[in-house]
Amino acid sequence: MTGKLYLCATPIGNLGDMTPRVVETLQMVDVIAAEDTRNSIKLLNHFDIHTPMTSYHEYNKTEKAVALIGQMNQGKNVALITDAGTPAISDPGEVLVNMCHDAGIVVTSLPGAAACITALTLSGLSTRRFCFEGFLPSDKKEKKDILEDLKKESRTIVLYEAPHHLVRTLDELYAALGNRKLTICRELTKKFEEVRPTTIEDARIFYGTEEPRGEYVLVVEGKSLAAFKREQEQGWQDIPIEEHMKQYEAQGAERKEAMKMVAKDRGISKREVYQYLLDLENI
């Protein structure tokens, strides 16, 4: 029989958040694949876990995944841990999980701490719908494209950021999204945990004089539906009514139905649309 892959969530700061199930699993498996073995050995020593470790990180994720799958095909069980939190979230573990599925190896996840969810619940912003972006990419073009997408995002947005990039990221968010509500979470579950409900503009002012320290999670308010609708309506004003009509008719709408949809888009009555088109025909 083949072995299994166990995705084991580790604490994001407070060791009390380690679950008994994760401890038992890490003691039971044949090998632990860790993002940084030098960091993880402290965790394992604390919980008296003596299972052999191997490194699994961004720079060996594909070739090491092949090796780990080979071990699981021989019947060995493997646990995957990250430096902090749940593996495979903004993490090279997603590659191993995907390759295990392709290889027919069973993958199971042992839930626990995740910084993105912890911050979201603390934010005071809407939690019904949210999107997780992780760290913004370093590539300028890719980052620009993502920020452009986030302009239209109506869900609450969750981002990770390192202290030495925080000020730059706040500036980029302000330039792309304008001034929105923002909750900054720092050093979650640790002794100096801080949750700061603020705005993007006020955060830029604050960190203009205050040196960022620790790991940050940024929870940003999504674009309000009212603002989105206003932008849509404004956008329709930039094209003539007859061109607006043609767009719906090209999609198969009958003329009367197209007039109704145009009127709704532009916030005017159907009669006004009809009269405009009538006047245009008489010119």
Side-chain angles (χ1 to χ4, degrees):
M1 291 182 64
T2 58
K4 278 186 182 182
L5 175 65
Y6 296 83
L7 306 177
C8 295
T10 55
I12 58 176
N14 192 316
L15 291 177
D17 294 332
M18 187 81 155
T19 70
R21 184 182 172 206
V22 168
V23 173
E24 291 170 7
T25 299
L26 294 179
Q27 290 171 333
M28 172 274 294
V29 295
D30 298 290
V31 64
I32 297 171
E35 183 176 3
D36 186 337
T37 56
R38 296 167 300 179
N39 179 69
S40 295
I41 192 64
K42 302 170 188 175
L43 179 75
L44 300 192
N45 286 342
H46 180 83
F47 289 100
D48 196 29
I49 298 168
H50 304 287
T51 305
M53 275 195 296
T54 187
S55 64
Y56 179 83
H57 49 71
E58 181 66 28
Y59 302 104
N60 72 352
K61 59 187 178 185
T62 302
E63 59 268 30
K64 182 53 75 74
V66 172
L68 291 171
I69 288 171
Q71 293 186 53
M72 286 181 275
N73 278 328
Q74 294 171 8
K76 291 186 177 181
N77 291 311
V78 176
L80 178 66
I81 61 174
T82 184
D83 281 348
T86 301
I89 297 179
S90 193
D91 175 83
E94 65 180 350
V95 173
L96 178 58
V97 173
N98 180 266
M99 290 176 68
C100 281
H101 287 318
D102 287 344
I105 290 171
V106 174
V107 181
T108 188
S109 182
L110 284 62
C116 55
I117 298 300
T118 304
L120 182 66
T121 59
L122 289 171
S123 70
L125 298 175
S126 174
T127 60
R128 189 177 72 84
R129 299 171 63 246
F130 66 95
C131 71
F132 174 63
E133 278 295 335
F135 290 94
L136 290 174
S138 55
D139 181 81
K140 289 183 179 180
K141 184 181 184 306
E142 190 179 354
K143 183 192 294 186
K144 182 181 178 181
D145 290 343
I146 289 176
L147 289 171
E148 197 63 34
D149 286 342
L150 292 180
K151 284 183 182 181
K152 305 182 286 289
E153 182 57 70
S154 61
R155 296 171 295 179
T156 300
I157 302 162
V158 184
L159 301 163
Y160 288 162
E161 195 48 274
H164 53 287
H165 289 152
L166 180 66
V167 173
R168 183 187 68 190
T169 295
L170 289 172
D171 288 342
E172 291 168 340
L173 289 172
Y174 185 77
L177 310 180
N179 192 29
R180 296 192 192 177
K181 289 182 180 179
L182 163 71
T183 299
I184 297 181
C185 299
R186 184 179 74 88
E187 294 292 270
L188 288 170
T189 77
K190 299 177 184 176
K191 182 178 180 180
F192 297 106
E193 174 181 281
E194 180 183 17
V195 179
R196 179 183 293 273
T198 181
T199 65
I200 298 176
E201 183 177 20
D202 287 346
R204 292 172 70 223
I205 295 170
F206 179 80
Y207 286 107
T209 56
E210 186 78 12
E211 181 184 359
R213 294 180 179 178
E215 298 301 316
Y216 289 84
V217 184
L218 310 179
V219 187
V220 187
E221 177 186 39
K223 179 189 285 291
S224 72
L225 293 178
F228 186 69
K229 185 177 180 182
R230 282 196 302 273
E231 282 192 8
Q232 277 192 317
E233 289 175 354
Q234 184 58 47
W236 287 124
Q237 309 307 319
D238 295 336
I239 64 172
I241 288 179
E242 62 270 24
E243 181 63 32
H244 197 164
M245 284 283 295
K246 287 178 182 177
Q247 291 188 21
Y248 282 123
E249 289 175 328
Q251 296 171 21
E254 297 291 337
R255 189 164 180 79
K256 286 186 178 180
E257 183 63 23
M259 289 171 59
K260 182 178 178 182
M261 291 188 287
V262 167
K264 183 178 180 182
D265 287 343
R266 303 174 84 94
I268 59 178
S269 69
K270 183 179 173 182
R271 179 178 291 276
E272 288 177 274
V273 175
Y274 174 77
Q275 188 61 52
Y276 174 89
L277 296 172
L278 187 63
D279 291 344
L280 195 65
E281 290 175 0
N282 293 330
I283 291 176

